[in-house]
Amino acid sequence: AKGGGGKGMRVVRKKEDLVSLFNAASSEALASFGDGGCFVERFVTDAKHVEVQVIGDGKGNVVHLWERDCSVQRRHQKIVEIAPACHHPMEVRQAVLDDALKITKACNYKNAGTVEFLVDDQGRHYFMEVNPRVQVEHTVTEQVTGIDIVQSTFLIAGGASLEEIGLVQEKIIPRGVAMQCRITTEDPAKDFAPSTGMLDVCRHSVGPGLRIDGYSYPGMVVQ
C-alpha cells in the first residue's frame, strides 16, 4: 500500500499461492518502506502504462497537461516515457484524461501530480494511483506543452490560482512528441543487476531538440 518501484508486488496465478505470495509481498514492503500493508487488485495482462499530468490550485480548479506513456519498463521501473501517448486511440486517451480530472477535482487537489492508469488490449483503463508530486518524467510534458511544471507548483503554493498563472485547459495544447530515456548503471553480465563504481567515461548528448536532466561526470562514483 506504500512505496513504489515495483517492490512489495506479486502476481498470483493460482489460488493456492495466494497466502504465501501475499506474505512475501508484505515482508518485502515492510523491509523496504517500514509498512507491510498490502491490497489485492486485478492483474491486467499485456497492459500499457498511461499517466496523466495534472495541476490543481486547491480552489476547485484542476487542469491536465495531457498524458504520457510509460510502458517501457524493467523490473517495474520506468525507463522510457513518451508524451503525449498519441499512439493510443483518441477515445481511450480522452477517457483517461476525463477520469484523471474527476479524481483530482473530487478531492480539491492542490499541486502538480500524476494520475496513473493501466490500459488493456481492449482499450479499457484501470486506475492505479495518484502520485502527489513532480515526477522524473515531467520533463517530456514540459517539452510538448511549453509549461514549466516546477515553477507552476511554486506559484500555486504561494496562493495563485490556475487562471492567474495562465493555465486554462482550452489553451493547453501539446505540440510534437517528446521522449525521455533514463540512464541506469547496470551489469549486463549479471542479468542487468544494479551496478556501482566509478564512471571512467561520460559524454552528454548535445544538439537541437535535446534536453539533459541529470548529474554525471568522468570520475563520479556511483554508490
Side-chain angles (χ1 to χ4, degrees), residues 91-222:
E91 59 268 23
V92 173
R93 296 170 62 195
Q94 192 61 57
V96 168
L97 295 170
D98 290 345
D99 280 352
L101 290 181
K102 288 179 184 177
I103 291 168
T104 46
K105 286 182 178 180
C107 64
N108 197 26
Y109 190 79
K110 181 179 182 179
N111 195 13
T114 305
V115 188
E116 307 203 14
F117 299 88
L118 291 179
V119 179
D120 68 15
D121 56 6
Q122 301 298 312
R124 297 170 297 195
H125 62 284
Y126 304 85
F127 170 72
M128 287 198 296
E129 63 179 353
V130 176
N131 274 309
R133 55 182 172 83
V134 176
Q135 290 190 280
V136 172
E137 58 269 26
H138 77 282
T139 56
V140 287
T141 296
E142 289 186 334
Q143 292 302 108
V144 297
T145 63
I147 295 170
D148 188 325
I149 295 173
V150 175
Q151 181 190 58
S152 298
T153 64
F154 278 102
L155 294 173
I156 288 169
S161 67
L162 293 180
E163 185 177 9
E164 288 171 340
I165 61 176
L167 292 182
V168 179
Q169 189 65 74
E170 292 72 22
K171 297 181 179 179
I172 303 173
I173 302 173
R175 291 178 171 83
V177 175
M179 177 184 296
Q180 181 187 82
C181 300
R182 302 192 191 185
I183 298 174
T184 60
T185 55
E186 300 174 333
D187 188 343
K190 297 181 179 179
D191 192 29
F192 292 93
S195 180
T196 58
M198 181 178 292
L199 293 178
D200 295 324
V201 178
C202 179
R203 298 189 182 96
H204 291 294
S205 301
V206 294
L210 292 176
R211 170 174 171 170
I212 305 297
D213 288 85
Y215 181 73
S216 58
Y217 53 87
M220 176 180 175
V221 177
V222 179

Side-chain angles (χ1 to χ4, degrees), residues 65-84:
L65 277 60
W66 297 85
E67 74 294 318
R68 302 183 286 260
D69 187 287
C70 305
S71 301
V72 180
Q73 303 181 14
R74 181 158 61 232
R75 298 189 183 91
H76 309 295
Q77 296 279 355
K78 304 169 187 175
I79 54 176
V80 177
E81 292 93 6
I82 303 171

